[in-house]
Amino acid sequence: MEKKIDRRTFLSYLGTGAAALATASAGLGLLEGKASAASKTADHLFGFKTNRVSGYFEPIEPSNEDQLLLPKGYKYDVIANFDDVINTAGDKFGTGSDYNAFFPIDGSNSRGLLATNHEYTHQFLHGEIKDGKMSAQQLKNELYYQGMSVTEVFQDKDGVWKLDKTSKYARRINGFTTFELTGPAKGSSAVGGVSSVQGTFANCSGGVTLWNTVLSCEENFTETATAANLPLTHYGWVIEIDPFDGSFLRKHTALGRFSHENTAMGLAKDGRIVVYMGDDKKDACVYKFVSNGKFDAAKGRANSSLLADGTLYVANLKKGEWVAITIDAVTKAIGKEGFKTPTGLKGTVEELKARFKSQGDVVTNCHEAALILGGTPTDRPEDIEVSPFDNTVFICHTNNDLHGNIHGHITRIFEKDNDLGSKAFDFEIFAAGGRQSGFSSPDNLAFDSNGSLWVVTDISSSSLNQGIYTTFKNNGLFVIPTSGPNKGTAMQFASGPRECEMTGPFFAPDERTLFLSIQHPGENTTDLNNPTSLWPHRKGDKIPRCGVVAITGFKLG
Ligand code: FEO
Ligand code: CA
Ligand code: CA
Ligand code: CA
């Protein structure tokens, strides 16, 4: 296919910022030569200033050690673990660390804010849950320790990354934080008529916006919402926070409600915002949201309103079409003579008609609406990234044992005319998990400026190091070039501690630091006095602690 922006074009935009590069890749060229309002963080959407990260390490072998192992010459600093104090108010770092986004302070690559997701709680927080019912304190912890942390991190004079606990920005966002709803479900009967809701939890992956805020995705929210007696329809959305402004808290209902894994933002050729999203369930769909209005870099955070008004599409892979998910389309489909409830959906035709009366109903029951309209059920779509080099879209289909996709694959979508706003596309299987590739169950993705994908794996703890999963050993971090002679070849960069998955890889703008979460080490522990992992192996500590590390040692020459 024709490439609108190759590496050379990319390099010619160095220093002009994310908006310029996005505009260039969208074929507009409007901002050529002008400095962007966006800071370096948003550059992660579209590439990096340096261009030498991958290809400079010796791949490691799989390992089942209870350690975070890296190639020769690299090291990691533990920045924060579960229950660490993060600020002078005594707030604590949450559990189940997942997505990370680094925001430089004053353009620095060695001091900034780190926004981290906290996906779920674990046995080391709760201890025994008697008769399956949480006590008042357990319930409080369940809501407190999920959500997000904003921490201030810095590299000291010896190059060691640390938390700055005196930070004025450091704070928690959790199950007790109030969010304002935006979009079609706001105030609708689908959410009980409310315009704001209590809390966020089950925050899995996310993404940064072109205006330097963070989108964080509520994935498996049912258990916590049910335990806390909170309405299910208030969760399963994409939230937006501003790391530098604690008062900015939104849930964008136009982006749909499902088991949200991630967001990947880009620009259509005409300047509209496009957000790609996965629904991490077996036989669930891939979505993209396209705003009605156009991005204007000069408007900064006010661009957030673009996420309240637009069209949500679902991918029909058989036809190569993005299908608009609207109340009109759903009503028409259900009303057609001979309509049958699609496989995987519950309810009679009459029940479906009653469920869908407004666009608020459609976004709230998004998966059902998508299947009614012909959205293709896929194999657990998790993270998605848009290539900064050619606008192709990479999707991790983690796995799906319902029909034999045991090791998963990475799907690559080619939008028609390289336009993220297109309604038609083609696709290929870019890389397949399995013995032949050395990885299984791809989950989170991040691009480096070489155009290589950094891919973490999520083999479930119950399968790791057994049977057909034995050769992969612990979950890993792999680098896969998307062009050149090693295109599609996975090289292992890291091996995680026992029973963890590594999540949330995110480079500092200079690519000298890679932030990474270590989630659920020791997940298979049944006897709390005898945990299966003790990572990070703190002196005297008797439990494993999920957390975030900063990896350094990248040779940029
Ligand atoms: Fe939270 Fe789909 O991983
Ligand atoms: Ca994930
Ligand atoms: Ca990602
Ligand atoms: Ca996962």
Side-chain angles (χ1 to χ4, degrees):
M1 62 178 277
E2 186 206 357
K3 289 187 175 176
K4 284 279 188 240
I5 178 164
D6 58 14
R7 188 170 139 176
R8 179 181 291 207
T9 320
F10 171 78
L11 289 171
S12 76
Y13 279 87
L14 289 185
T16 56
L21 197 58
T23 310
S25 67
L28 293 177
L30 291 176
L31 296 175
E32 192 170 1
K34 284 188 198 162
S36 156
S39 91
K40 285 179 173 177
T41 279
D43 291 357
H44 287 273
L45 294 170
F46 303 107
F48 297 95
K49 199 165 183 180
T50 58
N51 210 353
R52 309 171 193 107
V53 165
S54 51
Y56 282 81
F57 69 91
E58 262 177 60
I60 64 166
E61 293 297 318
S63 165
N64 53 17
E65 274 185 63
D66 186 33
Q67 296 291 349
L68 172 55
L69 298 175
L70 302 171
K72 232 187 298 164
Y74 294 81
K75 66 154 182 124
Y76 71 90
D77 304 314
V78 177
I79 290 182
N81 288 117
F82 155 58
D83 218 24
D84 285 350
V85 171
I86 60 166
N87 58 17
T88 52
D91 288 325
K92 308 277 196 73
F93 202 66
T95 61
S97 32
D98 203 300
Y99 181 72
N100 293 294
F102 176 77
F103 292 80
I105 291 177
D106 297 330
S108 171
N109 278 289
S110 53
R111 180 176 283 272
L113 298 187
L114 194 65
T116 301
N117 277 356
H118 298 296
E119 189 174 18
Y120 58 93
T121 56
H122 47 68
Q123 65 271 52
F124 303 104
L125 171 68
H126 286 320
E128 192 194 346
I129 297 174
K130 289 208 175 93
D131 305 323
K133 201 172 163 17
M134 286 189 207
S135 67
Q137 185 57 46
Q138 284 172 326
L139 211 45
K140 201 173 157 198
N141 287 342
E142 179 79 6
L143 295 173
Y144 179 83
Y145 283 95
Q146 294 184 72
M148 299 181 75
S149 288
V150 174
T151 53
E152 187 164 336
V153 296
F154 71 103
Q155 231 177 345
D156 72 9
K157 59 179 177 8
D158 301 317
V160 179
W161 280 95
K162 292 177 172 165
L163 270 190
D164 182 350
K165 296 178 190 176
T166 67
S167 171
K168 62 178 178 181
Y169 298 110
R171 66 185 188 277
R172 287 298 316 284
I173 295 139
N174 60 24
F176 297 107
T177 311
T178 301
F179 284 83
E180 184 199 339
L181 298 180
T182 76
K186 177 179 181 168
S188 81
S189 58
V191 296
V194 300
S195 298
S196 65
V197 299
Q198 179 193 327
T200 189
F201 36 82
N203 302 72
C204 186
S205 191
V208 290
T209 64
L210 278 166
W211 46 95
N212 288 310
T213 60
V214 183
L215 299 178
S216 166
C217 297
E218 298 173 344
E219 191 189 357
N220 297 311
F221 54 88
T222 307
E223 211 176 305
T224 301
T226 305
N229 202 21
L230 292 164
L232 288 177
T233 57
H234 292 186
Y235 312 96
W237 303 106
V238 174
I239 68 162
E240 183 180 10
I241 68 138
D242 183 341
F244 292 94
D245 179 359
S247 68
F248 186 81
L249 297 155
R250 294 182 176 177
K251 287 202 190 195
H252 294 296
T253 71
L255 275 57
R257 174 176 163 270
F258 42 88
S259 298
H260 270 286
E261 173 76 19
N262 84 302
T263 65
M265 184 178 280
L267 280 179
K269 268 189 184 174
D270 61 10
R272 290 175 299 158
I273 288 291
V274 183
V275 184
Y276 292 87
M277 298 171 287
D279 177 5
D280 182 9
K281 276 200 312 264
K282 293 174 188 177
D283 298 337
C285 304
V286 175
Y287 298 89
K288 79 172 177 185
F289 169 85
V290 183
S291 64
N292 281 338
K294 291 180 184 176
F295 174 66
D296 178 354
K299 286 188 177 160
R301 199 177 70 185
N303 282 292
S304 170
S305 62
L306 295 170
L307 298 176
D309 181 21
T311 305
L312 189 60
Y313 295 89
V314 64
N316 180 323
L317 279 95
K318 200 170 171 184
K319 293 186 176 164
E321 279 175 16
W322 291 104
V323 182
I325 312 171
T326 63
I327 183 61
D328 287 352
V330 171
T331 308
K332 206 171 141 195
I334 301 175
K336 251 192 191 156
E337 212 179 300
F339 173 82
K340 286 201 185 85
T341 304
T343 313
L345 268 195
K346 287 195 188 106
T348 63
V349 173
E350 288 314 309
E351 281 165 345
L352 290 180
K353 278 183 183 166
R355 198 175 302 162
F356 293 104
K357 299 276 191 212
S358 68
Q359 189 63 20
D361 296 332
V362 167
V363 292
T364 304
N365 303 291
C366 198
H367 174 66
E368 290 80 359
L371 289 186
I372 288 167
L373 295 175
T376 303
T378 68
D379 297 342
R380 292 186 55 203
E382 292 211 69
D383 208 0
I384 303 179
E385 289 291 336
V386 180
S387 166
F389 298 92
D390 59 12
N391 261 2
T392 59
V393 181
F394 292 81
I395 305 164
C396 278
H397 279 111
T398 297
N399 55 39
N400 189 346
D401 60 4
L402 292 182
H403 32 80
N405 189 357
I406 304 303
H407 294 303
H409 56 254
I410 301 173
T411 305
R412 184 184 200 172
I413 283 187
F414 300 83
E415 295 279 27
K416 187 167 187 291
D417 302 324
N418 295 342
D419 182 358
L420 301 185
S422 286
K423 292 186 183 148
F425 64 88
D426 194 359
F427 73 95
E428 69 182 20
I429 304 302
F430 166 72
R435 283 179 70 114
Q436 81 293 340
S437 59
F439 71 90
S440 173
S441 310
D443 189 336
N444 292 160
L445 297 171
F447 263 104
D448 70 23
S449 59
N450 272 346
S452 291
L453 274 173
W454 291 64
V455 185
V456 291
T457 62
D458 180 16
I459 302 169
S460 72
S461 296
S462 56
S463 303
L464 276 169
N465 289 295
Q466 297 170 46
I468 58 152
Y469 295 97
T470 308
T471 57
F472 306 102
K473 301 196 175 171
N474 292 357
N475 276 309
L477 165 59
F478 297 82
V479 180
I480 309 181
T482 59
S483 62
N486 293 322
K487 177 180 163 181
T489 305
M491 300 172 282
Q492 186 159 0
F493 181 85
S495 172
R498 279 191 201 129
E499 293 150 29
C500 87
E501 62 176 302
M502 291 179 282
T503 48
F506 196 97
F507 282 103
D510 67 358
E511 292 182 301
R512 288 178 187 274
T513 303
L514 173 66
F515 299 98
L516 185 70
S517 287
I518 305 295
Q519 194 182 89
H520 60 68
E523 191 180 31
N524 286 347
T525 299
T526 47
D527 175 2
L528 293 182
N529 296 316
N530 206 358
T532 55
S533 165
L534 276 173
W535 190 87
H537 302 282
R538 282 187 189 175
K539 252 199 187 138
D541 204 359
K542 297 199 163 54
I543 59 167
R545 290 180 189 272
C546 41
V548 176
V549 302
I551 297 172
T552 50
F554 295 97
K555 294 155 199 70
L556 303 177

